[in-house]
């Protein structure tokens, strides 16, 4: 019988198998042979044999490396240390072949050769090296212009959709914003000093291809302020079947404008009389449904920027949360000063008030939206109420009523 009968089974399906890949690598790298051995052993014992955690770092950086050790180092010496290095990815994940080969060569030299490009965090993940190899590997990468990413209780490497590089819907330059914010918050990225992790993610439009609304403490999602641009002739071409919905990628071959577009608009703000499509843009919530279906007929407006949302994360202290709106519209032009200032204020308030392992969204749940808005210098907006008419985040204080009695008005007329 082979050494890894249970892993072997995983190779038999019709899908590509990591076992096959790891076996190929194991022919060159003893660590990878041990990795397969330990995984098989875990399947047999029905427990993990990884010891979790510990901090490892490189000179000047407290962040970027995730320490891992085996609890069976005698049996699997290649896994005695098996640290993961997180490398900051380029904005939009664009590489030349040369750059990819360079990364692979460095990792073959200093690590296990096993890597994972752009998992749920976005970064390049180099899986498995020894403590001794961390510094030389870091230096080799740095000399080629690659920095390590954020990990631990630090700001994580920001990530973005490809935005204007390949997508006509982008309402701002996501790649520029992501790069600029990464530079701005270098210190926070590499020196963990936060209660827990903090993520920025940038999507160019409400389609939200990087899932910023679900995964980022600060989600920056492109949006337009004015009206959706309509080309009525193209709408008719969709209705007549000359143009294919979603560029041919839809569930139907020919669009029924009433049934497929108008009736499915979540705010019911569209109408179609058989020849003209009308949109009541004041009611549109920018869901992208109609634009996605008819990209040649409908386009986002021209007054573009981003909505800033806050608070999403996977369940740790509270349950999973989605981000909610804190700034309905922000201009997103270089040098992104407004976003930088807001980001810095948010991190400062959270660092001062957050408990260990409390994400910023959880802190807002604990202390209230009012405290948050006041501390970071934001005016409350209707959008920052989580469930309209039932559970506002915003509570008025006694002083507000006193100020009102003295003539202060809170509604801008
Ligand atoms: C060699 C072994 C391992 C490697 C390379 C590894 C790698 C990773 C990486 C790269 C992340 C993302 C980290 C982050 O975003 O902070 C992660 C997250 C996580 N890992 Fe592991 N891991 C290993 C072992 C384990 C073990 C043994 C456990 C549980 C017993 C575990 C549980 C988790 C959990 C719960 C998260 C999510 C943490 C969060 O998002 O807050 N991992 N792991
Ligand atoms: C049957 C086996 C496996 C399954 C089903 C599986 C599944 C997954 C899935 C669904 C993700 C999230 C991907 C994403 O969001 O882009 C992920 C991420 C990841 N996986 Fe696996 N995986 C398997 C085996 C492995 C092995 C053997 C390793 C390492 C030797 C590994 C290392 C990772 C790492 C490092 C990440 C990225 C974590 C992060 O960036 O937060 N996985 N895996
Ligand atoms: S989020 Fe919008 S702009 Fe970014 S890639 Fe997706 S569709 Fe394009
Ligand atoms: S973007 Fe969504 S809400 Fe706005 S008009 Fe289109 S379908 Fe309706």
């Amino acid at each position: 019988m082979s050494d890894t009968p249970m892993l072997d089974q995983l190779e038999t399906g019709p899908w590509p198998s990591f076992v096959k890949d790891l076996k190929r690598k194991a022919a060159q790298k003893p660590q990878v042979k041990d990795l397969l051995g330990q995984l098989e052993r875990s399947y047999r014992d029905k427990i993990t044999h990884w010891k979790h955690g510990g901090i490892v770092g490189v000179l000047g950086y407290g962040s970027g490396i995730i320490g891992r050790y085996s609890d069976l180092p005698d049996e699997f010496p290649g896994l005695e240390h098996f640290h993961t290095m997180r490398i900051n990815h380029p904005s939009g994940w664009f590489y030349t072949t040369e750059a990819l080969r360079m990364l692979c060569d460095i990792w073959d030299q200093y690590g296990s050769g096993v890597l994972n490009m752009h998992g749920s965090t976005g970064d390049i993940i180099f899986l498995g090296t020894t403590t001794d190899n961390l510094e030389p590997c870091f230096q080799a990468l740095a000399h080629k212009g690659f920095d390590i990413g954020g990990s631990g209780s630090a700001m994580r490497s920001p990530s973005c959709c490809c935005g204007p590089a390949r997508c006509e819907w982008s309402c701002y330059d996501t790649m520029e914003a992501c790069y600029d914010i990464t530079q701005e918050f270098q210190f926070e990225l590499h020196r963990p000093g936060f209660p827990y992790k903090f993520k920025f993610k940038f999507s160019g439009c409400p389609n939200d291809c990087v899932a910023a609304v679900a995964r980022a403490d600060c989600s920056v999602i492109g949006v337009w302020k004015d009206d959706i641009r309509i080309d009525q002739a193209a709408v008719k071409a969709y209705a007549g079947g000359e143009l294919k919905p979603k560029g041919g990628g839809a569930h139907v071959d020919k669009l029924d404008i009433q049934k497929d577009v108008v009736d499915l608009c979540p705010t019911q703000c569209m109408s179609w009389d058989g020849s003209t499509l009308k949109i009541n843009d004041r009611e549109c919530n920018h869901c992208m449904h109609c634009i996605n279906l008819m990209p040649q007929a409908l386009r986002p407006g021209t007054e573009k920027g981003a909505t800033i949302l806050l608070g999403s994360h996977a369940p740790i202290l509270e349950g999973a949360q989605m981000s909610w709106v804190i700034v309905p519209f922000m201009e997103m032009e270089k040098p992104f000063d407004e976003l930088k200032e807001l980001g810095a204020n948010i991190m400062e308030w959270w660092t001062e008030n957050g408990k260990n392992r409390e994400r910023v969204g959880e802190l807002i749940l604990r202390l209230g939206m009012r405290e948050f808005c006041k501390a970071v210098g934001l005016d409350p907006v209707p959008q920052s109420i989580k469930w309209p008419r039932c559970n506002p985040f915003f509570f008025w204080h006694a002083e507000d009523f006193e100020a009102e009695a003295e003539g202060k008005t809170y509604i801008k007329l």
Side-chain angles (χ1 to χ4, degrees), residues 320-331:
Q321 273 178 257
M322 302 277 263
S323 288
W324 56 83
V325 173
I326 55 167
V327 183
F329 187 85
M330 186 184 274
E331 306 250 327

Side-chain angles (χ1 to χ4, degrees), residues 10 18 22 35 39 86 114 116 118-121 125 127:
L10 297 178
F18 75 92
L22 289 182
L35 185 65
L39 189 55
R86 191 173 267 172
V114 179
N116 159 294
H118 318 313
S120 34
T121 55
I125 306 283
L127 282 156

